[in-house]
Amino acid sequence: MRLCWWLVWCVLLAGGSSAMVAAEGPTEPRVDPPHWWVGMQDPTLELLFSAPGVAGLQPRLKDERVELLATTRLSSPNYLFVQLRVAPTAAAGPVHIELFDGSGALQHQLDYPLKARQPGSRQRRGFGPADVIYLVVPDRFANGDPDNDSVGTLREAANRSEPGGRHGGDLAGMTAALDYLADLGITQIWSTPLVENDQPSYSYHGYAATDLYRIDPRFGELADYRQFVAAAAERGIGVIQDIVLNHIGSEHPWARDPPSPDWINHGNHFQPTQHARTTLQDPYAAAIDRREFNDGWFVATMPDLNQRQPQLATWLIQNSLWWIEEAGLSGIREDTYPYADPDFLARWSSAIVDEYPDFSIVGEEWSRNPLVVSYWQAGPGRRGHAGATRSMMDFPLHYALLESLQQPEGFESGLRSLYEALVNDRLYADPARLVLFDGNHDTPRIYTRLGEDASRWRAAMVYLLTMPRTPQIFYGSEILLTSPLQRDDGRVRADFPGGWPGDRSDAFRGQGLAPAQLQAQRWLRQLLRWRQHKSVVHEGALTHFLPDDGLYVWIRHQPGQQVLAAINRSDRPRRLDPQRYDEVLQGRREGTELWQGRIDLEHAELPAGASWVIDLDAAGNPAGRPESGQP
C-alpha cells in the first residue's frame, strides 16, 4: 500500500504541486517514521505525514499514552509535521490518529504502531579496538538471490558487464557469506548504504538515496536486513550501517517538492562545494568559504540537505535512531562527515549516544591533516567539536602507512616517516578508537598501491592489526584484489570471486585462486584469528623504537602480556636486539612467532622483506601451525 501511493505521488509531482492539491480523492498519507517504540530515552516524536494536500488537515488523537504537542506546516501543501510526546510509562500498542479537513470531515485514520523495544537495546555494545571491521559493497560482494537483480518498479536494471552498473549482489549473498567472514576472524561488517537508490544510473553504490526508510528491493527487504543482522550476531559479528546526512539522490521526492524552500541548500539549485575542509577550523577563513564548503553540492545528482532546517534536522535524527533500533545495529559510519552542518552534527551524535551510551559512530573526514581529523573526535580532553562521535576514519595514518612502504628508506622517508606520524596521536582524544583502514570503496586497492608486492602487503597488514587502532579491511584485500591506480570506482569495487554462480574462482571456499592469493588469505586468516583473543593488542600500551636501516620494531604490552611486531624493509636479514628493547621486555627473550613457531630473541634473525608478530606470553604456537608456511 505504501509503495502504491508513493508511486502515485511521484507521478503527480512531475506535474507540480497544484496538481496534487487538485487530485480527486484523498491519497493515503505516508508516515515517517513508519513506527516507533515505547521506553525511548527521548519521549518526543515528530511524525511527517506526506500526501497531496495533507498540510490542510488537522490531526486528532485520544490516547492517554500519547500527547499531541503541536503541528507544523511549511510552504509545501503536501507535508504535515505532528509533534507528539510518548509517556515514559506507555505500553506498546497502536495509537489511533485521525486527520480532519477544515469542515470537520474525517479524511484519514490510521493506527500508528508503538512497539516494545528488544531487551537490552539501550545497552547495546558498539565497536572498538577489539574488533576488525570488514567493508563490503553489497552489489559487488555476493548474489544470493538472482531474482531481485532487476526490479521493474525501479529505474536501473542489472548489467554485470558494465563496471559502473548494478551487478546483483544482495543481502541474501551477504548472509550466506557470514560463515566465511566469521572463520576469517571478522567481528564487524560495514556495508555501503542499502537504502533505496532509485537513480537512473550508478545506483549500486547507495549514496544517492531516494527513500531513507526503505531497503532497496534489489538488495532485499527490511526483513532480510533484520535477518542478516541477527545471523551476524549469532556468529559474534556486529553490523555497522552507512548513514548519509549530507545529501540525497536527485530522484528523491524532496528534490521535486521540498517541504520548504530552505530544505535543500542553494534553493534546490546545483552549486558545487569547493571541498575546503580546513575552512571550518581555520581561524582566518572567510565566512563565505565556510558556507560554500558546507552548503555546496557534491554533484548535480546529489541535492545537499540543509540540516539547519529544524524539521529536517529532527527527521534525520529520528531516521538514524529508527535504523539502530529496528535493525539492531552496533554502529554507524557517517558519510562525508564535515559537509553537514557542525551544530547539527553535535545534536545528532549526542542524541544517538544519549539513547545508546555504548554505541559507536565513526565519521568520514577525508583529510591527510591530523589536526583536521582530530577536531571531530569526542572524548576526554577534547579541544574541538562539541559532538559525541568517538571514532573517525584515520586518513592521515592510512596515507602515512601506504606511502612509507613505497618510499626508499631514508632519514625522512620510509619507515622513519611512519614512525614519526604517530606523534600526532597527541592531538586525538582517543587514538585507539580511530579506524585505520587498508583501503575503501573510494581508494585504489592496497595491493596495487604497494606495487603488487606481497611482502609490503604483509607489512601493512601487520601494522594495521597490531597498532592501537580499530582496524578495517576492504573486501577482497585478503585475496590481493587489484585495481587501477587512478580513481576508477567501478573496478575498485570489483565483484568478489565466488559471489556469483559460474565464477571461475571462489574465494569463499578457497577454490580456483592463484597460489599467491590462497597463501595471502590463509596468512591473514591466521593473523586475524589470533588477534581476536589478544587483549594486549586491543588495549595494551605501545612502545615503538626508531627504525634502523629498514628495521622497525614495536611492542604492545600490559601486565602479563607482550607482543613484539617487526618489519624488515632492508635487503638483508636483520638480527633483533632484545637488549635495546629491554625497557619493555624486562628480560623476556622467548615467544612464539605466528608463522615460524618458537623464537629465541637472542638469536632471532628477521629475513629481508619479512614481517613478524611474536607473542611473548605464549608457551606454544598461539594460532596453530601455519597452514602453508611463512610466505
Side-chain angles (χ1 to χ4, degrees), residues 494-564:
D495 295 347
F496 191 80
W500 279 254
D503 282 359
R504 289 182 295 178
S505 58
D506 186 345
F508 294 114
R509 296 169 181 80
Q511 299 171 355
L513 297 176
Q517 291 181 298
L518 190 59
Q519 195 172 53
Q521 187 183 48
R522 290 173 174 173
W523 181 92
L524 187 60
R525 180 187 292 116
Q526 190 155 334
L527 178 56
L528 290 171
R529 290 170 67 170
W530 166 84
R531 188 188 189 278
Q532 282 185 311
H533 308 289
K534 297 308 296 184
S535 63
V536 66
V537 179
H538 308 158
E539 58 195 33
L542 168 70
T543 300
H544 65 155
F545 298 85
L546 190 68
D548 174 29
D549 191 22
L551 177 64
Y552 185 16
V553 173
W554 60 93
I555 302 174
R556 300 295 304 278
H557 50 98
Q558 63 182 19
Q561 293 190 59
Q562 295 176 338
V563 168
L564 183 150

Side-chain angles (χ1 to χ4, degrees), residues 386-398:
T389 296
R390 297 170 184 153
S391 302
M392 297 299 295
M393 303 303 296
D394 196 348
F395 278 91
L397 195 56
H398 163 79

Side-chain angles (χ1 to χ4, degrees), residues 109-383:
Q109 55 183 327
L110 69 148
D111 290 325
Y112 185 78
L114 281 179
K115 299 184 177 184
R117 303 176 71 179
Q118 290 295 317
S121 175
R122 176 169 166 77
Q123 291 76 33
R124 69 185 64 225
R125 185 185 72 85
F127 58 83
D131 290 298
V132 175
I133 302 168
Y134 190 85
L135 165 60
V136 300
V137 178
D139 181 66
R140 307 303 173 85
F141 190 53
N143 188 355
D145 182 7
D147 290 341
N148 65 14
D149 290 0
S150 300
V151 175
T153 56
L154 301 179
R155 290 172 174 82
E156 188 176 17
N159 182 3
R160 196 180 177 199
S161 64
E162 172 56 51
R166 296 196 76 97
H167 290 192
D170 52 29
L171 282 162
M174 291 168 60
T175 304
L178 285 171
D179 285 339
Y180 165 78
L181 296 176
D183 181 67
L184 188 63
I186 299 302
T187 62
Q188 298 281 338
I189 299 172
W190 155 34
S191 77
T192 53
L194 289 156
V195 295
E196 181 195 273
N197 270 237
D198 191 13
Q199 296 287 116
S201 61
Y202 296 100
S203 64
Y204 75 92
H205 59 67
Y207 290 100
T210 54
D211 189 338
L212 287 160
Y213 275 107
R214 186 190 191 201
I215 295 293
D216 194 298
R218 291 161 293 192
F219 293 138
E221 302 295 337
L222 177 59
D224 300 315
Y225 187 39
R226 289 171 52 88
Q227 180 184 356
F228 166 70
V229 176
E234 291 173 0
R235 293 160 175 81
I237 298 174
V239 174
I240 302 166
Q241 182 160 320
D242 208 322
I243 296 285
V244 185
L245 302 171
N246 181 68
H247 52 266
I248 53 175
S250 56
E251 297 299 329
H252 193 292
W254 288 345
R256 291 193 180 93
D257 179 37
S260 62
D262 61 348
W263 198 264
I264 296 173
N265 283 320
H266 293 289
N268 203 11
H269 297 291
F270 174 59
Q271 181 70 36
T273 178
Q274 22 74 332
H275 301 288
R277 298 170 175 84
T278 59
T279 57
L280 297 184
Q281 300 163 46
D282 183 349
Y284 314 110
I288 190 172
D289 290 328
R290 294 191 183 102
R291 288 196 303 272
E292 287 179 353
F293 166 68
N294 267 141
D295 295 355
W297 297 24
F298 264 77
V299 292
T301 55
M302 292 180 176
D304 198 79
L305 296 174
N306 173 22
Q307 299 86 18
R308 295 180 296 275
Q309 207 289 330
Q311 281 71 39
L312 174 57
T314 297
W315 192 99
L316 291 170
I317 291 168
Q318 290 181 165
N319 179 255
S320 295
L321 293 171
W322 188 88
W323 279 112
I324 296 168
E325 192 74 24
E326 177 68 17
L329 304 177
S330 65
I332 284 174
R333 181 265 186 182
E334 209 293 298
D335 181 66
T336 57
Y337 195 86
Y339 290 81
D341 179 72
D343 291 339
F344 165 77
L345 288 172
R347 179 185 165 197
W348 170 79
S349 59
S350 296
I352 291 173
V353 173
D354 286 348
E355 193 65 61
Y356 309 98
D358 295 325
F359 191 77
S360 296
I361 304 168
V362 57
E364 180 201 30
E365 168 59 282
W366 193 339
S367 173
R368 291 171 174 260
N369 188 335
L371 183 64
V372 171
V373 175
S374 68
Y375 174 80
W376 300 104
Q377 188 187 28
R382 64 184 175 193
R383 297 182 295 274

